[in-house]
Amino acid sequence: MSFNREYHPSFLEAFAGSTTNLATRSARAVLAIASTPSAGARLTKARIAAALRRAGRQRGIDTAAADLKQALRRSQLRQPPLVEQAMGVQAVALLATLNTACDNVDRLAEAVTAALHQHPDYEILVSFPGLSETGAARVLAEIGDDRARFSDARALKAYAGSAPVTRASGRSISITHRRIKNDRLAAAGFVWSFMAITNHPPARGQGQPHARRPTGSDHP
C-alpha cells in the first residue's frame, strides 16, 4: 500500500515503529476505520481503543489509542476531497486482500507449528535463544534432520552463509561474506540472530553495534 504516502502519510507515521507496518493486526484494524485522513481525524480515543481490542491487543490500549488519535490528527498535505475519497475506497479494497493473506499466513504458521511439535528434536530446536517455533521449523526444513549430512560445523555455516570466505594471494589476505548459500536458511539465521541480540543478554553483549563496530562490522 505504498500509495498511502500519496494521501495518508499520517497513518504510515502512526505505525512507523512497527517492523511489519501495515501487516500488524492493530494497523489493519485502525485502517479499516481511518481509510482517509478525514476519517482518521474524526476518530475518538474510545473508537480507536475498540479497534485495537478487536485486533487482539490486550496491553497498553489506552496509551496506544491516545497516541494514535494524536498522530492521525496531525496536519499534512491533503489530496482534493474526491481524490482522497477514491483513494480511501481503494485502501479498503486492498485491505480486504491483505487481511486474507495475513489470515492464510497465520493458518500456515499454526500448521507448521503443530507439525514441529511432533518432531523428536523439538525441544532442542526451540531451546536456542531467539529462535521461534516458526523459525525453528524453517531451519529444520532447510537443514534436514540427517545429522550426518554435514561433516562439521563449518560446513553447515558455509551452507547457511555465516562462514566467511578467506582468500590469500601472496602477502594479501581478504575476508568477505559468503554470497553462495542457502538464501532461505540465511534469512532465517538473520532473524534468529537479531532476536537473540535483542532478547538474550549474552548474545546482546556480542551483537550490539557498540561492541562490534570498532572491529569493522556493520549491522548485517
Side-chain angles (χ1 to χ4, degrees):
M1 293 189 180
S2 58
F3 73 90
N4 265 285
R5 297 188 182 94
E6 300 176 12
Y7 87 107
H8 208 342
S10 60
F11 178 83
L12 294 180
E13 292 175 3
F15 290 94
S18 169
T19 55
T20 50
N21 211 338
L22 296 183
T24 63
R25 292 185 178 182
S26 295
R28 288 183 278 133
V30 174
L31 181 59
I33 59 175
S35 58
T36 65
S38 298
R42 293 194 299 267
L43 290 177
T44 63
K45 177 181 173 183
R47 195 172 175 201
I48 296 174
L52 295 176
R53 290 190 180 92
R54 286 196 300 274
R57 182 156 183 165
Q58 298 179 351
R59 299 180 180 178
I61 293 177
D62 289 339
T63 300
D67 292 342
L68 288 172
K69 176 184 174 182
Q70 182 178 3
L72 293 173
R73 294 190 177 189
R74 290 173 186 159
S75 60
Q76 62 178 49
L77 295 177
R78 299 278 290 272
Q79 296 280 355
L82 287 178
V83 174
E84 180 179 295
Q85 181 180 1
M87 286 185 162
V89 172
Q90 183 183 17
V92 172
L94 291 177
L95 179 61
T97 302
L98 179 61
N99 284 334
T100 299
C102 290
D103 290 342
N104 289 337
V105 169
D106 290 340
R107 283 194 290 270
L108 178 61
E110 291 174 0
V112 167
T113 300
L116 181 67
H117 275 261
Q118 301 174 27
H119 196 277
D121 290 337
Y122 169 78
E123 295 294 341
I124 297 175
L125 290 166
V126 297
S127 70
F128 292 110
L131 189 61
S132 65
E133 289 186 326
T134 52
R138 168 58 75 186
V139 169
L140 177 63
E142 299 304 327
I143 294 177
D145 51 12
D146 179 4
R147 298 190 179 188
R149 180 182 181 187
F150 299 94
S151 58
D152 54 25
R154 181 173 176 81
L156 176 54
K157 288 176 65 178
Y159 183 68
S162 60
V165 177
T166 302
R167 294 184 175 90
S169 177
R171 296 183 178 180
S172 64
I173 297 177
S174 66
I175 301 175
T176 60
H177 70 278
R178 188 173 297 271
R179 297 181 181 276
I180 306 302
K181 59 187 182 298
N182 181 316
D183 291 333
R184 293 182 296 273
L185 181 57
F190 183 89
V191 176
W192 177 5
S193 300
F194 185 79
M195 294 308 297
I197 66 173
T198 302
N199 301 292
H200 189 59
R204 186 183 304 124
Q206 294 295 322
Q208 288 293 356
H210 64 78
R212 299 290 307 195
R213 283 181 179 163
T215 67
S217 298
D218 55 15
H219 177 70

